[in-house]
Amino acid sequence: MTLTLFHSPGSCSDGIAYLLAELDVPHHVHVVNLPKGEHLQDSYRAANPKGKVPALRRADGSILTEFQAISFWLGRSFPQAGLIGDDLEDQARILELMDFMVASVHMRGFTFMKVPQKFIPDAEAQKALRAHGRAEVEKGLRHLSAVLGDKDFLMGRLTLAEAPAIYLLRWAVAAKVDMPDNMHALHDRLMARPAAQIAFPDG
Ligand SMILES: N[C@@H](CCC(=O)N[C@@H](CS)C(=O)NCC(=O)O)C(=O)O
C-alpha cells in the first residue's frame, strides 16, 4: 500500500502536499472537501476521528495526524533529501520553528483571522477577533523574518521548516498581510521550486 495524503487544497495540508513533492515520494491524494463538511462525515472520521486535515495513511494502513508529526515522519523516512538531518540541535531547531508556525502563527493567528465565527457569534466581536488574529500573524511573520535574515531558507538550507512556511506565506500573500520583504522573497523562492509547481498546479 502506498502513502495517502488526506488533503484539502488551500488548507494547511498544502504544506504536506508540498513536502511530499519536495521529497519526490509516490503517493495518492484523497481530497477532503472542508467547505462541504466532508471532514465531519463518518466516512472520513472512520479514518481520522479528529476530523482534520492533514492526515497521512502509511503503508501498514495506520494513520498519522498533526502537521509536525507527519513532517517529522516523512523527513526521517526519506532521509536522502536531507530535510531533517541527523544533528540533534538542528532537529530541535527545525521542530521549534515548525511548532511556532503551526501552533502560534496558524492556530493563534490565521484561525482567528479566517474563522472568528467559530469562536464568537457577535459580529462586532468577530471583527475584533479577526483584527487580533491579523496582528498575531504579523507579529509571527516579523519573528520569522528575523530568523530568516538574509539567508535563502529559515535554517540556511531547505528543511522541513519550509513545509509550514509555504502554506502560511501563501495565506499571508492572499490576505495581503503586512510582512517584511525577506518573507515575500521566501514566498517567491519557495513558489518557484518545482515541488511547489507540482503541489499547486493552479499557482
Ligand atoms: N493541529 C492540527 C491542525 C490541523 C487543522 O486545524 N486543519 C484544518 C485545516 S487548515 C482543519 O482540518 N479544519 C477543519 C476543522 O477544524 O473543522 C495539525 O497540526 O495538523
Side-chain angles (χ1 to χ4, degrees):
M1 198 194 278
T2 178
L3 297 176
T4 299
L5 173 64
F6 293 91
H7 176 37
S8 180
S11 80
C12 55
S13 59
D14 275 355
I16 303 296
Y18 159 76
L19 183 56
L20 283 162
E22 201 63 78
L23 292 168
D24 199 18
V25 180
H27 62 281
H28 296 304
V29 173
H30 179 119
V31 173
V32 181
N33 191 321
L34 290 188
K36 278 195 180 159
E38 279 177 12
H39 57 303
L40 304 173
Q41 289 170 7
D42 289 348
S43 52
Y44 182 59
R45 292 186 95 108
N48 177 12
K50 289 178 177 167
K52 307 255 182 202
V53 293
L56 187 72
R57 186 160 56 213
R58 278 91 54 88
D60 65 358
S62 65
I63 299 270
L64 187 64
T65 62
E66 303 297 328
F67 195 99
Q68 297 95 308
I70 295 169
S71 304
F72 182 73
W73 184 85
L74 284 171
R76 291 293 302 263
S77 300
F78 302 95
Q80 63 282 2
L83 298 189
I84 179 85
D86 288 328
D87 183 76
L88 177 61
E89 176 65 14
D90 230 34
Q91 293 185 345
R93 292 295 179 193
I94 291 167
L95 290 172
E96 180 185 43
L97 276 167
M98 292 180 69
D99 198 58
F100 177 69
M101 286 187 266
V102 176
S104 297
V105 185
H106 173 179
M107 296 297 166
R108 311 283 300 188
F110 275 113
T111 301
F112 295 147
M113 239 179 101
K114 283 168 167 278
V115 284
Q117 68 279 9
K118 270 190 163 181
F119 302 95
I120 195 137
D122 177 72
E124 276 307 304
Q126 285 175 16
K127 211 170 136 190
L129 193 52
R130 199 175 281 117
H132 169 77
R134 181 175 283 264
E136 285 296 299
V137 168
E138 289 175 356
K139 189 170 76 180
L141 292 172
R142 281 197 301 277
H143 172 72
L144 292 169
S145 165
V147 171
L148 179 64
D150 59 5
K151 304 189 295 296
D152 279 352
F153 301 107
L154 289 161
M155 292 288 296
R157 66 177 211 285
L158 189 79
T159 68
L160 298 181
E162 270 66 42
I166 199 167
Y167 83 77
L168 291 177
L169 289 168
R170 283 167 58 80
W171 287 356
V173 167
K176 296 187 172 29
V177 165
D178 186 32
M179 67 176 177
D181 287 348
N182 64 345
M183 296 307 284
H184 279 285
L186 179 60
H187 167 269
D188 295 351
R189 192 172 301 120
L190 292 176
M191 286 303 293
R193 294 185 66 78
Q197 278 150 38
I198 293 167
F200 316 118
D202 301 327

